[in-house]
Amino acid sequence: MKNKLSIVFMLGIAFSTTSCATIFTGTQDPISFSSTPEGAAVFHKGIEKCVTPCTVKIPRSLSKQTVTIEKEGFNKEEIKLTKNFNAVTLLNILFGGAIGVGIDAATGSLTKYSPKKYEVVLEAKQNSESK
C-alpha cells in the first residue's frame, strides 16, 4: 500500500509540473518564406536564417517577433509574425499544472505562429541619381 501511495504521489507531482504545450508542440514553429524576386535573405534578430524560397524554424516567444527580407537592389521588407493562443496549454489547467503554465510562458509555447507561410513582393529601389 505504501508503494502505491508513493507512485500516486510521484505521478501527481509529474503531472503538476509538466508543461504540456512545451512538450507536445515544442518551442519553435517552421515558417515558410517566399519572395518575388526569389533569392532574398531572411533575417531574424539580425541573423540570416535562409534564402527565399525557404522554411526556417523560428523560436516561439511572448514578445513581438519580426523577420526582415532583403535583396540587393530592392527595398527591404519587415514582417511582423502573428501568433495565436496555443490551446494545448489548457491541458496544464485541467491537470492542475500551474508550474507547467509558467514553463509554457517562459518558453513562449503559450502561443504559436499563424500563419506559417509568408509571401513578399519586393520593390526595386529607385535610382537616386536623377535630379
Side-chain angles (χ1 to χ4, degrees):
M1 180 70 170
K2 201 172 194 181
N3 284 340
K4 287 182 183 181
L5 185 59
S6 295
I7 292 171
V8 169
F9 180 71
M10 295 299 277
L11 285 173
I13 290 174
F15 276 123
S16 68
T17 60
T18 58
S19 49
C20 289
T22 301
I23 292 169
F24 292 126
T25 64
T27 59
Q28 303 178 34
D29 284 321
I31 302 177
S32 297
F33 298 95
S34 61
S35 66
T36 304
E38 293 182 348
V42 177
F43 291 88
H44 178 247
K45 295 186 176 182
I47 299 169
E48 184 175 340
K49 297 293 185 173
C50 62
V51 175
T52 62
C54 61
T55 300
V56 64
K57 288 187 176 183
I58 303 288
R60 294 181 185 156
S61 174
L62 294 181
S63 64
K64 294 179 182 178
Q65 298 294 308
T66 58
V67 171
T68 305
I69 312 279
E70 297 181 25
K71 184 172 176 81
E72 191 171 328
F74 295 85
N75 295 323
K76 67 180 177 181
E77 287 287 329
E78 192 170 278
I79 300 169
K80 293 179 183 176
L81 301 178
T82 57
K83 298 177 271 188
N84 291 325
F85 177 71
N86 190 353
V88 176
T89 299
L90 295 175
L91 293 175
N92 285 323
I93 297 167
L94 293 174
F95 291 108
I99 294 171
V101 173
I103 292 170
D104 286 345
T107 63
S109 291
L110 284 176
T111 61
K112 58 184 177 178
Y113 294 111
S114 180
K116 299 215 190 242
K117 185 175 184 179
Y118 292 87
E119 297 178 17
V120 176
V121 177
L122 297 173
E123 293 182 23
K125 287 185 178 179
Q126 296 296 320
N127 193 350
S128 60
E129 294 178 8
S130 58
K131 286 189 177 185

